[in-house]
Amino acid sequence: MAETQWSTVSGTYCKDMPSNVYRPHSVTITEFGAVGDGVTLNTKAFQNAIFYLNSFADKGGAQLFVPAGRWLTGSFSLISHLTLSLDKDAVIIGSPDSFHWPVIDPLPSYGRGREFPGSRHRSLIFGSNLTDVIITGANGTIDGQGAIWWGWFHNHTLNYTRPHLVELMYSTNVVISNLTFKNSPFWNIHPVYCSQVLIQHLTILAPLNSPNTDGINPDSSRNVCIDHCYVTTGDDVIVIKSGWDEYGISFAHPSSNISISNITGETQGGAGIAFGSEMSGGISEVRAEGLHIVNSLHGIRIKTAPGRGGYVKNVYIADVSMDNVSMAIRITGNYGEHPDDRYDRKALPMISNITIKDVVGINIGVAGILEGIQGDNFSSICLSNVSLNVQSTQPWNCSLIQGYSNSVIPESCEQLRSNCEQTPVCYDGGSYSAMLALLPKHKLSASRLLNPLLKLLSL
């Protein structure tokens, strides 16, 4: 296999790369006593295997192979220069015992657990300060058995914030590819404070009523490429974040240079693509194309509030199809709670240079609700070539925003009724033109085409 390489375009963008590299050393999890019967707890086997492979980090790295079977485990941590590879019939299963998911410190950009003050449970697969780490397989499965966590959430019996399936912190040269993720207790894939991240060819599944089971959440990360993924879940399909109120402002790690392409998603409680609401470190230079959103609450959404500070700017979203979406576009200036009462109520977010174009939607409830903040008009919101088959007699509701529109059906709200093609204010995503040639060109694999929802998207 070709060796992984990351290069930059205009100094900042990630380059497409293979999802595997040659590893001169490889072991199988069964060599360390693991039993794939779905009953035996294999946490120690994973830990011991990875500890052993650490000795090969400076010798070209190593691979840990998980063969066919059902491998029950608690949380375990990865190392640098490691490939975790799953057979197509391998299932890594998260333990239903919360004691097998250790409690760790909150993220500094959040100041507390996302759900509760204080600490949080560690993800099933975890890593910090890593480089050159790959999680991949022949569409093997990682199952968090989240139902028990969702029950604890609904019954108000949790003591700490629920865990993710995968969280990598402060890491670079990360690949997550060719896998199915199921039933995460909380968010599924969470790269935070990372750079040079490639996420591609994933299937992410959770019941549509499962709480907060976001699909892919780049958080305070840069140079992230997300491509060819299918997500059906209870919350946002893809959501970009960068910290929460005063903690995100002071930590000051923005999310930037993010490419999203060829995504199919369904969500009962969230959006196909979302920004925030935790965006206090800033979000910029995002390009999303080839989005197919069905049977969902929102299509495109920006969530923020007074006290967030930060910004969402230079966002380009194009080539979007929607079917049976309650609200196609929503910008909310008063969304979400705060981590504590110490946030700065005068810290107003900046929302600007948002371009949404080439959108087709059928069975749409409302075209859009676009609401800014008093004293903080959201500016340069651009809609172009948007055609929505809308059921509501009041398709648009806009306040405290400024922007432009061109070829929008039904006609956009009054605040946007200028021609965006006649003004330089509209962000054209041009800084990403060099990156487009580097994005993966692969078609969806056959396993991705099995879901009948994909047939609805050939608009």
Side-chain angles (χ1 to χ4, degrees):
M1 301 177 187
E3 184 176 354
T4 296
Q5 294 180 351
W6 284 97
S7 64
T8 58
V9 179
S10 302
T12 55
Y13 301 139
C14 58
K15 181 181 179 180
D16 180 27
M17 65 181 204
S19 60
N20 285 297
V21 300
Y22 174 71
R23 303 292 195 193
H25 307 279
S26 181
V27 298
T28 300
I29 191 64
T30 52
E31 298 176 47
F32 296 83
V35 180
D37 60 3
V39 177
T40 304
L41 188 67
N42 295 297
T43 312
K44 284 294 184 183
F46 278 100
Q47 292 171 340
N48 290 341
I50 292 169
F51 178 80
Y52 168 76
L53 293 176
N54 197 39
S55 62
F56 300 103
D58 60 350
K59 301 179 180 66
Q63 173 180 271
L64 175 58
F65 179 68
V66 181
R70 295 176 60 81
W71 309 92
L72 183 70
T73 181
S75 171
F76 61 91
S77 296
L78 304 181
I79 57 173
S80 295
H81 309 295
L82 175 74
T83 296
L84 175 64
S85 179
L86 278 67
D87 179 85
K88 65 182 178 64
D89 295 317
V91 185
I92 293 178
I93 306 171
S95 169
D97 188 338
S98 64
F99 288 102
H100 297 152
W101 306 65
V103 174
I104 60 175
D105 290 337
L107 294 169
S109 59
Y110 284 69
R112 48 162 283 179
R114 184 57 188 83
E115 297 184 287
F116 297 97
S119 301
R120 62 202 182 99
H121 285 283
R122 193 174 73 181
S123 60
L124 184 63
I125 300 175
F126 180 77
S128 184
N129 293 288
L130 306 182
T131 187
D132 179 24
V133 60
I134 297 171
I135 305 169
T136 191
N139 202 32
T141 299
I142 299 173
D143 187 343
Q145 298 203 105
I148 191 168
W149 293 91
W150 309 331
W152 293 333
F153 170 79
H154 289 303
N155 294 332
H156 306 287
T157 55
L158 288 166
N159 295 316
Y160 304 101
T161 295
R162 288 171 285 156
H164 314 303
L165 274 186
V166 175
E167 180 179 75
L168 299 177
M169 302 172 55
Y170 302 107
S171 297
T172 188
N173 291 6
V174 171
V175 179
I176 305 173
S177 69
N178 297 95
L179 290 168
T180 293
F181 292 87
K182 294 175 59 177
N183 303 321
S184 178
F186 199 48
W187 305 344
N188 278 269
I189 312 297
H190 188 220
V192 57
Y193 321 139
C194 290
S195 64
Q196 317 292 51
V197 178
L198 174 63
I199 299 171
Q200 66 176 1
H201 299 298
L202 299 186
T203 299
I204 298 176
L205 307 172
L208 293 175
N209 62 352
S210 56
N212 311 109
T213 50
D214 298 1
I216 303 170
N217 292 27
D219 195 341
S220 293
S221 293
R222 59 187 179 87
N223 300 349
V224 178
C225 296
I226 304 170
D227 179 67
H228 276 107
C229 296
Y230 174 79
V231 182
T232 176
T233 184
D235 211 325
D236 296 323
V237 171
I238 295 176
V239 54
I240 303 170
K241 298 175 178 289
S242 67
W244 200 4
D245 286 9
E246 70 269 29
Y247 303 103
I249 293 171
S250 62
F251 196 66
H253 277 49
S255 283
S256 64
N257 303 335
I258 296 176
S259 169
I260 301 164
S261 58
N262 304 306
I263 306 298
T264 297
E266 177 184 15
T267 167
Q268 180 173 290
I273 182 170
F275 302 81
S277 72
E278 306 86 0
M279 38 65 68
S280 303
I283 298 170
S284 69
E285 274 61 58
V286 178
R287 187 180 187 108
E289 296 182 282
L291 310 180
H292 312 288
I293 305 161
V294 300
N295 305 328
S296 296
L297 181 60
H298 297 99
I300 300 164
R301 191 169 193 193
I302 298 174
K303 301 176 280 187
T304 188
R308 290 287 190 265
Y311 53 84
V312 178
K313 65 180 183 178
N314 295 351
V315 172
Y316 182 89
I317 300 172
D319 184 20
V320 181
S321 64
M322 302 183 194
D323 185 358
N324 192 29
V325 173
S326 297
M327 191 174 304
I329 303 169
R330 187 167 192 180
I331 299 175
T332 308
N334 191 23
Y335 179 90
E337 70 276 23
H338 301 279
D340 50 44
D341 60 3
R342 296 189 293 274
Y343 70 95
D344 181 1
R345 290 159 175 78
K346 297 180 180 179
L348 299 180
M350 181 182 73
I351 310 299
S352 68
N353 289 358
I354 312 296
T355 294
I356 300 171
K357 65 179 296 186
D358 301 335
V359 179
V360 175
I362 60 174
N363 302 316
I364 306 299
V366 175
I369 297 179
L370 315 179
E371 300 171 320
I373 298 171
Q374 188 68 45
D376 183 31
N377 284 14
F378 297 169
S379 62
S380 299
I381 311 298
C382 239
L383 308 180
S384 177
N385 194 26
V386 175
S387 179
L388 303 171
N389 183 338
V390 176
Q391 299 163 1
S392 173
T393 58
Q394 295 182 313
W396 297 94
N397 187 339
C398 302
S399 61
L400 303 172
I401 66 165
Q402 299 171 350
Y404 308 89
S405 64
N406 181 61
S407 299
V408 175
I409 302 172
E411 188 178 16
S412 63
C413 48
E414 184 177 352
Q415 293 91 331
L416 303 181
R417 289 181 190 170
S418 298
N419 190 327
C420 64
E421 293 186 350
Q422 303 301 317
T423 174
V425 175
C426 292
Y427 178 64
D428 65 1
S431 59
Y432 270 74
S433 58
M435 189 179 189
L436 285 177
L438 301 174
L439 291 177
K441 299 299 192 299
H442 311 295
K443 296 182 179 179
L444 286 173
S445 65
S447 64
R448 302 298 187 271
L449 298 175
L450 293 177
N451 196 299
L453 287 172
L454 294 177
K455 298 179 181 178
L456 298 174
L457 300 169
S458 56
L459 300 178

